[in-house]
Amino acid sequence: MPALNILFLLVLAGYFLGAVSHLLGVVTGKAGLRRAGWLLTVGGFVCHTLDLAALLVLEGGMAFLSGEFYFSLLAWSLLLICLFLWWRLRLGMLGLLASPLALFLFLSSQAVTAARMPLPKALGGLFFGLHIGALFLAISLLAMACGAGVAYLYLERKIKTKEKLGGFAKALPALSTCDTVNRWAVAAGFPLYTLGLLSGFIWAKLTWNRIFSYDPKEITAICIWMLFAFLFHQRLVLGWQGRKPARMAIWLFGLTLVSMLVINFYMPTHHSFARYIDGASDLPVWPQP
């Protein structure tokens, strides 16, 4: 539809130009370019919100039954978390991470062929609201923790080797600020991931009459949860700071990307986009993170 096509182009333009402006602002040290990057990114986020809302209005509940909708929603969730952290901490460098990643996820959503499946109406709201919503917010928080971890390790190495901080390194926030972002993201992300995982198992029991089926996706999700629980405990209870939580957040987010991009597409799983695209399964299989 013409309106949706226009919104799609506006989202792409906002995220792409926002990422470029952020990068140029960091490289040149010009605050005006960084401010322009934020404005463009926010503009892309607004258009993205309208795009998702338009899909819901035009397609109703069928919008929830398409693989591309979930990747688009993940990109939107990432920007939502990024904008919230920017509002709370005033970290301009978050845009350098969020804009390119949101652009990548939004473009990825267009590469996933729609897969429409019958869904019991009584379960639709519960599944989407708890399972998908909680997991996507948790993954977005992990992305922020990962970005803060990368910045922390990079800046720490520069300081330890007594290299001159210029260009990109000079624009990075203080080590303590990077650590704060990591702590906030882990503290909020783990409960959300737990909620998303539990609601997924409950939905599986109600839909397939089994909680766990030793599916690669389910096994990976449990492994991620266990590592996330360990990081949450070490971070909040034992007071982990610095390199250890930074490195673990990077590994955790990398594992979630493997789960979404490798398992969902290239491994035999109930949650595979590819299986449904090829019509290989008649189960009410759902794409999930």
Side-chain angles (χ1 to χ4, degrees):
M1 296 187 180
L4 289 179
N5 290 337
I6 292 173
L7 282 174
F8 172 76
L9 293 175
L10 288 175
V11 174
L12 284 183
Y15 289 166
F16 177 74
L17 294 176
V20 171
S21 296
H22 274 295
L23 181 60
L24 290 177
V26 168
V27 172
T28 62
K30 294 182 179 179
L33 284 173
R34 292 198 295 270
R35 285 195 295 270
W38 272 112
L39 289 174
L40 288 165
T41 301
V42 170
F45 178 78
V46 171
C47 293
H48 196 166
T49 304
L50 293 175
D51 182 62
L52 290 174
L55 284 173
L56 292 176
V57 170
L58 293 173
E59 299 191 15
M62 292 301 293
F64 298 141
L65 312 183
S66 61
E68 68 269 25
F69 181 83
Y70 292 105
F71 274 85
S72 181
L73 182 65
L74 179 58
W76 183 89
S77 301
L78 176 71
L79 260 297
L80 178 67
I81 295 297
C82 175
L83 292 172
F84 175 77
L85 289 176
W86 173 78
W87 171 67
R88 291 289 298 176
L89 300 176
R90 295 296 174 182
L91 290 179
M93 285 300 297
L94 286 175
L96 193 60
L97 165 70
S99 298
L101 191 54
L103 176 63
F104 169 76
L105 291 172
F106 184 70
L107 285 174
S108 297
S109 72
Q110 306 305 307
V112 181
T113 304
R116 301 291 195 258
M117 296 149 283
L119 174 69
K121 293 182 179 179
L123 297 178
L126 173 65
F127 170 74
F128 178 76
L130 292 180
H131 185 54
I132 291 297
L135 283 179
F136 277 14
L137 288 175
I139 292 171
S140 298
L141 284 164
L142 259 182
M144 293 297 104
C146 173
V150 171
Y152 184 97
L153 295 175
Y154 176 78
L155 188 59
E156 185 191 46
R157 184 180 63 82
K158 286 280 188 180
I159 293 174
K160 282 190 173 182
T161 57
K162 297 181 179 181
E163 295 182 38
K164 183 179 179 180
L165 299 180
F168 176 77
K170 190 176 181 180
L172 290 173
L175 286 176
S176 59
T177 304
C178 294
D179 195 61
T180 298
V181 173
N182 182 290
R183 185 178 69 251
W184 283 20
V186 170
F190 176 69
L192 283 170
Y193 196 89
T194 302
L195 176 63
L197 200 63
L198 288 176
S199 61
F201 286 136
I202 293 172
W203 189 86
K205 175 64 176 178
L206 294 172
T207 304
W208 300 323
N209 198 32
R210 59 189 180 190
I211 295 177
F212 190 74
S213 59
Y214 297 95
D215 184 270
K217 187 75 172 183
E218 296 170 353
I219 294 173
T220 304
I222 290 176
C223 290
I224 292 173
W225 181 86
M226 293 176 66
L227 291 172
F228 212 161
F230 177 75
L231 177 59
F232 180 82
H233 177 268
Q234 298 298 102
R235 174 98 244 197
L236 272 69
V237 177
L238 299 185
W240 258 18
Q241 294 181 0
R243 282 177 290 173
K244 289 182 179 179
R247 288 172 176 166
M248 195 161 186
I250 295 170
W251 280 104
L252 264 175
F253 182 63
L255 190 55
T256 61
L257 290 181
V258 170
S259 177
M260 287 187 296
L261 302 178
V262 177
I263 295 178
N264 271 31
F265 285 98
Y266 300 108
M267 293 186 67
T269 167
H270 292 321
H271 309 90
S272 171
F273 293 121
R275 285 185 64 193
Y276 229 113
I277 291 168
D278 297 335
S281 175
D282 56 358
L283 290 172
V285 182
W286 282 88
Q288 70 175 40

